[in-house]
Amino acid sequence: MSETLNLLLLATWQTVYMVAVSVLIAAVFGVPLGVLLMVTGRGQILQNDLLNKVLGTVVNVLRSVPFIILLIVLIPFTRWLVGKAIGTTAAIVPLSAAAIPFMGRLTETALREVDRGVIEAAQAMGASPLQIITRVLIPEALPSIAAGITITTINLVGYSAMAGVIGGGGLGDLAVRYGYQRFMLDIMLYTVAILVVMVQLIQVAGDLCVRRLSKNR
Amino acid sequence: MIRIRNLTKVYRSASGNVRALDNVNLDIEKGDIFGVIGLSGAGKSTLLRCINMLEKPTSGSIEIDGVEMTRLSPNELKEMRKKIGMIFQHFNLLSSRTVRGNVAFPLEIAGLDRETINKKVENLLKLVGLSDKAESYPSQLSGGQKQRVGIARALANDPKVLLCDEATSALDPETTLSILNLLKDINRQLGITIVLITHEMNVIKQICNKVAVIEKSRVVEQGPLLEIFSNPTTEIARNFLKSVTLSQLPEELKDRITNLNHGHLEDKIVKISFFGEITAQPVISDIVRKFDVDANILYGNIDHIQGTPCGTLVVELRGNNGGTGEALEYLKKLGLNVEVVENV
Ligand SMILES: Nc1ncnc2c1ncn2[C@@H]1O[C@H](COP(=O)(O)OP(=O)(O)OP(=O)(O)O)[C@@H](O)[C@H]1O
Ligand SMILES: [Mg+2]
């Protein structure tokens, strides 16, 4: 029993670690990416067709590669970046690579929702593009961006189940190796239960954030 | 103050070009409350947005205080815009900021320090009568209150010009009046030149001293309000005037006029509009005596536009042997605006 518990605890920790770090990286790179996608768009404050096209294509390509393939394709890059291609930390690289473009698109969509008139009002007041981004676009879209981070986190929990392929461990890996391959049904059930609870908690926490941020709006 | 010459704006799009402004010339002087009126799609918003370069003119020149707007660098334009306030039909407030935060926004943009900002915001909120709402969010305000925030925000950097794009179109008549009065006060107290666009003649009548009528991308008439009011030279200006006066006729009267119109051939319902010195009242008794007609006053209304009396009288004239026609001629000769009401 205590062995099972240890397995579960370790796997849970690995999942939490992978997801938490990846989502952090996704937010740090994905939000600015989304801002760039939005402001360089047609008719936007820093319209730049070429940059917009290039970024958009990169994002689309990354998003259309199935994660399991991304995991393998990125092995050389991962080795170069973190010095090893196997393990929990190494798994963070492909997870982030999948999450950044996703987060970018969600941010872009959130920013597009900002009322044009409000942007225009800021322009009419003599605001620079940077001021518009930091003082209008992001604050106005913050609840939607927070919702986007929630969705990205939950997606990452799902993706992290595949991290076992490159020795990343985690709950999904545990379910596959013990629950499925060794047919230990109890472990399978426990991992699924933990995952369900985890996703639930993320959703509730995310919703709470969104609600707090959009209070009074 | 604002001098617009040969301003043309063409919107280019895949579905074709739209000439939204065609060779527009306007002169707006310091301290004016300058109204621009026109039907939907006439080009009013485009004109206003060209003034602060939210739209880049296709050709022509816009000078504000001697500064040619069309030739400014991006940085110069940013500085210039700080001196041009703008308010909008849909207010365009930041939903993420309180009233205080919204009014502080342009001051932050201008890079003022916290203390100065706080002091200015207090004064501005007092000016628009919203001191007690400082910590509210826009969603917690009524339309009129939101527009007051918009006005306070537009005034924050002590602009020389205030541009208003349909600033009252989303408001009910009473709130409209209070906002217009606020604008008038601002114009008087702070000496800010106001350019106001609207499709409602009533708004123009309330506060403007000058007016331009824009139709199909062209300015077809411009001048002091009273001049345009007393002597509209274009059909569209006349129609706008009608919208002020006739829209105020009570419903039952409209019915009555419609019915009366089917009576005796020579009986006529006329609408007499007067401005300034000539008031219609003695004139009516004049024609009764001179032309042997009966005059039955159906409706009367006297108003003041910038202190000048003006009004409308709807009179039923019953005459014989051409008396009615002669009476009408006489009224016209006196310089009154006479119109036979065919149908209402
Ligand atoms: N961004 C744009 N792209 C293309 N055409 C435009 C654009 N903005 C305005 N137009 C066109 O230019 C013309 C004038 O529009 P404008 O908004 O100035 O009219 P308006 O007088 O303000 O009308 P309203 O009273 O409805 O606000 C219209 O035919 C409109 O369709
Ligand atoms: Mg308009």
Side-chain angles (χ1 to χ4, degrees):
Chain A
M1 182 64 218
S2 84
E3 198 192 335
T4 309
L5 189 67
N6 278 341
L7 281 173
L8 285 170
L9 276 177
L10 178 65
T12 306
W13 162 246
Q14 286 170 332
T15 296
V16 169
Y17 169 66
M18 282 187 288
V19 170
V21 176
S22 307
V23 86
L24 203 75
I25 294 171
V28 166
F29 290 93
V31 172
L33 173 65
V35 169
L36 266 182
L37 281 168
M38 189 269 180
V39 297
T40 57
R42 181 111 317 151
Q44 301 297 345
I45 53 173
L46 289 174
Q47 179 175 343
N48 183 327
D49 293 349
L50 182 68
L51 183 58
N52 191 261
K53 195 99 199 159
V54 170
L55 284 177
T57 310
V58 171
V59 163
N60 287 347
V61 167
L62 273 175
R63 288 195 56 202
S64 54
V65 178
F67 183 65
I68 190 82
I69 295 180
L70 198 66
L71 213 54
I72 292 158
V73 169
L74 283 181
I75 285 176
F77 176 69
T78 306
R79 184 174 292 127
W80 172 78
L81 196 68
V82 296
K84 53 189 172 182
I86 301 290
T88 313
T89 303
I92 288 171
V93 176
L95 282 173
S96 306
I100 289 169
F102 186 63
M103 192 60 222
R105 280 290 184 219
L106 290 178
T107 305
E108 183 196 6
T109 312
L111 296 176
R112 277 189 199 286
E113 296 286 302
V114 175
D115 188 352
R116 268 216 76 88
V118 177
I119 300 170
E120 214 157 65
Q123 281 179 311
M125 284 181 253
S128 66
L130 187 66
Q131 284 172 322
I132 292 176
I133 291 168
T134 56
R135 287 163 195 264
V136 178
L137 288 177
I138 293 180
E140 288 291 292
L142 208 52
S144 308
I145 293 174
I149 291 176
T150 310
I151 298 172
T152 305
T153 313
I154 289 172
N155 266 9
L156 278 170
V157 172
Y159 283 159
S160 74
M162 286 180 250
V165 172
I166 57 163
L171 288 165
D173 183 45
L174 187 66
V176 171
R177 282 192 296 128
Y178 285 74
Y180 178 67
Q181 287 165 357
R182 299 190 196 171
F183 208 69
M184 294 166 77
L185 198 60
D186 54 340
I187 290 202
M188 175 76 97
L189 288 177
Y190 288 140
T191 50
V192 171
I194 293 171
L195 283 171
V196 168
V197 170
M198 201 180 271
V199 168
Q200 206 61 245
L201 282 177
I202 294 165
Q203 190 67 58
V204 168
D207 287 349
L208 204 72
C209 274
V210 173
R211 206 156 337 121
R212 292 218 62 157
L213 288 171
S214 48
K215 201 173 147 221
N216 298 326
R217 291 197 182 190
Chain B
M1 178 86 207
I2 304 179
R3 192 166 162 278
I4 299 176
R5 286 293 173 273
N6 307 319
L7 177 63
T8 297
K9 170 73 189 179
V10 181
Y11 289 109
R12 295 180 200 286
S13 67
S15 53
N17 293 347
V18 179
R19 189 171 280 260
L21 291 175
D22 190 4
N23 212 15
V24 166
N25 294 289
L26 279 184
D27 286 284
I28 300 169
E29 267 152 57
K30 189 165 168 44
D32 275 350
I33 302 186
F34 196 101
V36 177
I37 190 164
L39 298 174
S40 188
K44 307 182 296 292
S45 298
T46 306
L47 173 62
L48 200 74
R49 292 159 53 80
C50 279
I51 294 179
N52 64 357
M53 294 287 119
L54 280 178
E55 297 293 351
K56 300 271 173 285
T58 307
S59 65
S61 116
I62 297 167
E63 254 179 41
I64 300 181
D65 259 357
V67 178
E68 177 55 51
M69 296 295 288
T70 52
R71 281 201 288 271
L72 295 179
S73 71
N75 274 325
E76 289 169 328
L77 179 58
K78 265 187 287 173
E79 288 314 306
M80 196 67 193
R81 277 175 172 170
K82 286 170 189 161
K83 293 294 167 200
I84 306 173
M86 189 169 195
I87 58 176
F88 305 86
Q89 177 174 4
H90 299 294
F91 323 120
N92 297 349
L93 303 177
L94 290 155
S95 62
S96 53
R97 290 180 174 227
T98 59
V99 167
R100 183 190 301 285
N102 268 286
V103 179
F105 182 83
L107 299 166
E108 290 171 19
I109 295 295
L112 300 186
D113 62 276
R114 259 291 132 209
E115 206 177 316
T116 318
I117 292 180
N118 288 341
K119 219 178 290 159
K120 286 204 97 167
V121 171
E122 288 312 320
N123 288 338
L124 286 160
L125 290 179
K126 207 180 290 167
L127 178 74
V128 299
L130 279 182
S131 299
D132 56 328
K133 294 282 183 200
E135 307 308 327
S136 299
Y137 282 84
S139 65
Q140 301 164 329
L141 302 178
S142 71
Q145 289 169 333
K146 283 183 202 165
Q147 197 56 290
R148 283 171 188 270
V149 179
I151 292 171
R153 179 175 73 172
L155 296 178
N157 280 320
D158 306 311
K160 294 179 276 193
V161 182
L162 182 61
L163 307 176
C164 313
D165 189 343
E166 303 274 8
T168 57
S169 298
L171 306 174
D172 63 58
E174 208 169 304
T175 314
T176 294
L177 202 61
S178 79
I179 293 292
L180 292 178
N181 283 332
L182 176 61
L183 289 176
K184 203 189 264 179
D185 287 347
I186 286 164
N187 168 261
R188 287 217 189 108
Q189 287 173 22
L190 311 176
I192 295 176
T193 307
I194 297 179
V195 185
L196 177 153
I197 71 172
T198 179
H199 57 267
E200 292 170 291
M201 196 66 203
N202 272 318
V203 169
I204 302 269
K205 190 185 79 174
Q206 292 297 341
I207 63 168
C208 294
N209 66 326
K210 288 196 193 138
V211 60
V213 182
I214 183 163
E215 186 188 21
K216 297 201 186 101
S217 319
R218 291 168 170 273
V219 170
V220 292
E221 217 165 327
Q222 70 169 307
L225 183 71
L226 282 177
E227 236 165 72
I228 306 280
F229 251 79
S230 53
N231 189 21
T233 58
T234 55
E235 186 60 30
I236 180 137
R238 272 193 287 275
N239 283 338
F240 275 121
L241 286 180
K242 224 185 252 175
S243 75
V244 188
T245 44
L246 268 190
S247 69
Q248 290 166 348
L249 291 186
E251 277 307 315
E252 53 201 277
L253 182 64
K254 289 186 186 175
D255 287 346
R256 208 163 142 210
I257 291 173
T258 320
N259 293 335
L260 277 166
N261 258 346
H262 301 301
H264 191 294
L265 255 189
E266 210 181 305
D267 294 354
K268 289 217 158 65
I269 310 278
V270 293
K271 195 176 75 146
I272 304 166
S273 312
F274 57 91
F275 296 85
E277 298 312 306
I278 325 162
T279 45
Q281 200 63 52
V283 176
I284 299 295
S285 46
D286 252 15
I287 56 171
V288 170
R289 265 187 278 111
K290 285 197 174 123
F291 306 103
D292 186 29
V293 293
D294 282 341
N296 183 12
I297 297 179
L298 300 177
Y299 175 80
N301 159 33
I302 295 186
D303 209 340
H304 285 262
I305 295 176
Q306 275 147 37
T308 306
C310 66
T312 310
L313 221 51
V314 178
V315 183
E316 181 194 9
L317 294 178
R318 287 163 189 263
N320 291 305
N321 311 323
T324 317
E326 284 172 34
L328 288 182
E329 280 311 306
Y330 175 74
L331 290 174
K332 280 181 189 158
K333 241 181 249 155
L334 284 179
L336 291 166
N337 197 337
V338 183
E339 198 182 322
V340 176
V341 183
E342 301 289 354
N343 41 41
V344 183

